[in-house]
Amino acid sequence: MTAQPAPARRITRQREAVRDALAASDEFVSAQSLHQSLRAEGSSVGLATVYRALAALAEDGEADALQSGGEVLYRACTPSHHHHLICRRCGRTVELEAAAVERWAGQVAAEHGFVEPEHVVDIFGLCAECAARR
Amino acid sequence: MTAQPAPARRITRQREAVRDALAASDEFVSAQSLHQSLRAEGSSVGLATVYRALAALAEDGEADALQSGGEVLYRACTPSHHHHLICRRCGRTVELEAAAVERWAGQVAAEHGFVEPEHVVDIFGLCAECAARR
DNA sequence: GCGGAAATTGACAATCGTTCTCATCCGCGC
DNA sequence: GCGCGGATGAGAACGATTGTCAATTTCCGC
């Protein structure tokens, strides 16, 4: 296998705190702001640790990550593959299933001789509320 | 209108150099590497200027930008809306048309009450050559 | 062809998100 | 309870990008 030596992940107070904080928000948040939230509610967690915990969650498929405005945002997510519809104003996010898109991506990749296709599919827009508030 | 005072874009040796250098490459490149290429071939262009030129090109729709590995990559592109199929190994890129995906994105956004939808759709994989070279 | 207002440039400092270092701490299997 | 190796945290280090500002260059009308 190409599997790494399996880092053997441990359960610590800090990691649980990060996981909980992430689960408590239903929108994408940055490592920085998550760190501040934790600090604000008394949890003493180092910034570096928040980064490491988020990276670990993303790697384990427990969180989605996306780059926006020069920083990486995270959000707790369902384990199955999916995409997002995100309000670019308030950050509200809807998870999307899109079998048709999956199929299309795989097919297009194959047509051009590409293998091991992965894809990034996200839709940004203004949610109804934010649009009304104009 | 909410239109800005229109900065009135000018044609300069540096901007042309950046545009040419970008057009000379058929894969995504970073501002940093583009700057080095220009320097290597004798063009004296400041790094900040390369950043500004690339940002201007992207804004004018003459270049596509995508974030990868903490940096922003640029590539000259056709003026019409399109997506990409990118080799994650060598960077070779294929531009894709995908009317069906456009329609899907607009429809899904509408279903959830979102307006002004924009979407990011890119496929990463290993091109035939890179896959064979294993 | 000239003059001048305004955009542009470039060298460098400043930001800012993220990663690294390393000594200390602690989860977990025995 | 003991000990190994992963985890933590404070701060330094890093690297991409942006801001600053005086000097330069473009382009407009005349």
Side-chain angles (χ1 to χ4, degrees):
Chain A
M1 289 287 176
T2 51
Q4 295 91 34
R9 201 140 282 164
R10 288 182 183 173
I11 297 174
T12 64
R13 172 178 63 76
Q14 293 88 336
R15 277 223 231 280
E16 295 295 285
V18 170
R19 189 206 304 276
D20 292 348
L22 195 62
S25 168
D26 61 343
E27 49 192 67
F28 280 86
V29 294
S30 66
Q32 304 274 352
S33 65
L34 197 73
H35 176 236
Q36 293 193 315
S37 304
L38 286 169
R39 277 295 171 85
E41 60 184 52
S43 299
S44 158
V45 184
L47 178 58
T49 299
V50 173
Y51 274 101
R52 286 184 287 234
L54 287 174
L57 286 171
E59 195 177 319
D60 294 348
E62 292 191 58
D64 280 322
L66 73 81
Q67 305 199 327
S68 169
E71 61 184 4
V72 180
L73 304 180
Y74 294 90
R75 178 171 182 277
C77 71
T78 56
S80 66
H81 181 73
H82 59 268
H83 300 295
H84 301 106
L85 172 56
I86 308 162
C87 176
R88 71 167 72 90
R89 190 90 172 295
C90 70
R92 202 148 65 90
T93 300
V94 179
E95 294 196 356
L96 305 172
E97 296 284 324
V101 175
E102 311 298 330
R103 236 176 294 119
W104 168 81
Q107 185 184 318
V108 168
E111 277 175 15
H112 290 274
F114 280 60
V115 298
E116 295 180 32
E118 287 178 15
H119 52 275
V120 176
V121 175
D122 289 310
I123 307 176
F124 295 87
L126 278 180
C127 72
E129 281 184 36
C130 288
R133 197 177 306 151
R134 284 289 200 70
Chain B
M1 289 286 175
T2 52
Q4 295 92 33
R9 200 140 285 167
R10 288 180 183 175
I11 296 174
T12 65
R13 172 180 64 75
Q14 294 89 335
R15 275 222 234 281
E16 294 295 284
V18 170
R19 191 206 302 279
D20 292 348
L22 195 63
S25 168
D26 60 342
E27 49 192 70
F28 280 87
V29 294
S30 67
Q32 303 276 354
S33 66
L34 198 74
H35 176 237
Q36 294 194 315
S37 304
L38 287 169
R39 278 295 170 83
E41 60 183 51
S43 300
S44 158
V45 184
L47 178 57
T49 300
V50 173
Y51 273 101
R52 286 183 287 234
L54 286 174
L57 286 171
E59 194 177 320
D60 294 348
E62 292 191 59
D64 280 321
L66 73 79
Q67 305 199 327
S68 169
E71 61 185 4
V72 180
L73 304 180
Y74 293 90
R75 180 172 182 276
C77 72
T78 55
S80 66
H81 181 73
H82 59 267
H83 301 295
H84 301 106
L85 173 57
I86 307 162
C87 176
R88 72 167 72 92
R89 189 91 172 294
C90 71
R92 202 149 65 90
T93 301
V94 179
E95 293 196 356
L96 306 171
E97 296 285 322
V101 175
E102 310 299 329
R103 235 177 295 120
W104 168 80
Q107 183 185 318
V108 169
E111 277 175 14
H112 291 274
F114 280 59
V115 298
E116 296 179 33
E118 287 177 16
H119 51 276
V120 176
V121 175
D122 289 310
I123 308 176
F124 295 87
L126 278 181
C127 71
E129 280 183 38
C130 287
R133 197 178 305 152
R134 284 294 195 69

